[in-house]
Amino acid sequence: MAKPGAFLPESSTLETSALWKDGLLEHEIWQIGLPVGEGRGKPPLARADFEAGTVSEAKLRLESDPTPHNPRHVNICGWPTVKDEQKSLALLLCKRSTLVLRETAE
Amino acid sequence: MNVYCPPLDSSFGPLDWASSGVSDEASHIKRLLKESWEHYLEPRLELLLPEIESLVSDETSVPIDPDTIQAAKQFAYCLPRFGPLPEVSTDPDGEISFDWLAPSGKMFSVSVNKHRRLAYAGWFGEKSRIHGIEQLAESCPQEILRGIARATCQQAAR
């Protein structure tokens, strides 16, 4: 199971960064994630997959935010500002997601 | 005589030592409590406290305020003596999160900030979810203890 904190938004933007992965092959998904991990000094070890409908269920919304490296980049927006409400929604996303480990996926 | 004696399933932080007794019986109970602390709580803290401190040196996470570390340690002291230990991590806003993720799918998560504010959320079933705010004082708030127990009860029974 993914950690709930992985879904919490950045405090400055109240957005959670995500990737639209439909139509991508496994190795293509990890390739997009590699620079993100390298920027933090650690390669990505796992990811959490969830349906777009889960975002609606949480009363949040997806906003497209393409970057030169990642045209499939999206932000999860509409987070409440109160921390316990954020955590409650993060638990919902966590519950609905599937943890995919890199070593088992590749 | 007045000796604090917490129930077995409650928290038991060092700040709960509120004995004003001076009799032999009071001293005896105080000694038993100290032994209980050393036997049950100390080994758990030896695992949990280094995990909290290691978050400071994790260069991949956001900076953590020293007061947040102190608050997280105080929270660790207040946790129940029994049951599964939480996973500790840093939130994107620099708060420290304690997560109980049971194999049953039940989850309970508490975030501690530098003001000792505890933001918690629990998932115990599709129609059984809670969240709220508490303030950390000398002992762990009852809502938090209940949340931990609800998330880990099946785990502890194994």
Side-chain angles (χ1 to χ4, degrees), chain B:
Chain B
M1 193 175 88
N2 175 23
V3 172
Y4 178 80
C5 189
L8 283 176
D9 60 347
S10 78
S11 66
F12 184 35
L15 294 174
D16 286 332
W17 295 78
S19 170
S20 58
V22 292
S23 66
D24 289 345
E25 290 84 358
S27 299
H28 180 65
I29 291 173
K30 198 171 180 177
R31 196 181 73 247
L32 291 176
L33 284 172
K34 184 173 181 293
E35 287 173 6
S36 170
W37 189 87
E38 289 173 352
H39 184 75
Y40 293 107
L41 190 60
E42 208 167 51
R44 296 169 66 82
L45 289 172
E46 282 175 4
L47 294 172
L48 208 48
L49 294 182
E51 269 197 64
I52 294 170
E53 284 163 0
S54 72
L55 297 175
V56 181
S57 56
D58 184 355
E59 293 176 357
T60 62
S61 83
V62 293
I64 305 174
D65 192 294
D67 288 343
T68 305
I69 294 288
Q70 279 307 113
K73 285 182 179 177
Q74 185 187 343
F75 181 61
Y77 272 96
C78 294
L79 291 175
R81 285 167 288 169
F82 305 103
L85 283 171
E87 293 183 34
V88 183
S89 58
T90 312
D91 286 346
D93 57 5
E95 296 187 12
I96 295 179
S97 182
F98 295 74
D99 301 324
W100 288 264
L101 309 174
S104 62
K106 294 178 181 176
M107 301 182 282
F108 190 70
S109 178
V110 182
S111 287
V112 185
N113 76 357
K114 64 179 180 180
H115 303 297
R116 300 180 183 181
R117 188 270 286 129
L118 306 172
Y120 67 89
W123 178 291
F124 313 116
E126 286 293 334
K127 294 181 178 176
S128 181
R129 297 155 62 179
I130 60 167
H131 63 87
I133 299 284
E134 291 284 345
Q135 191 66 33
L136 181 60
E138 291 189 351
S139 60
C140 193
Q142 286 299 312
E143 281 301 315
I144 304 281
L145 292 174
R146 273 195 284 271
I148 296 169
R150 288 180 72 184
T152 62
C153 57
Q154 285 183 343
Q155 231 177 328
R158 288 177 184 176

Side-chain angles (χ1 to χ4, degrees), chain A residues 76-88:
Chain A
I76 303 173
C77 305
W79 288 90
T81 54
V82 185
K83 186 66 183 274
D84 63 304
E85 294 176 10
Q86 290 179 359
K87 288 179 74 70
S88 181

Side-chain angles (χ1 to χ4, degrees), chain A residues 55-86:
Chain A
V55 176
S56 309
E57 183 187 357
K59 305 284 193 290
L60 299 172
R61 64 180 188 278
L62 285 172
E63 288 186 0
S64 181
D65 180 35
T67 66
H69 167 69
N70 181 7
R72 290 169 166 264
H73 182 254
V74 295
N75 286 317
I76 303 173
C77 305
W79 288 90
T81 54
V82 185
K83 186 66 183 274
D84 63 304
E85 294 176 10
Q86 290 179 359

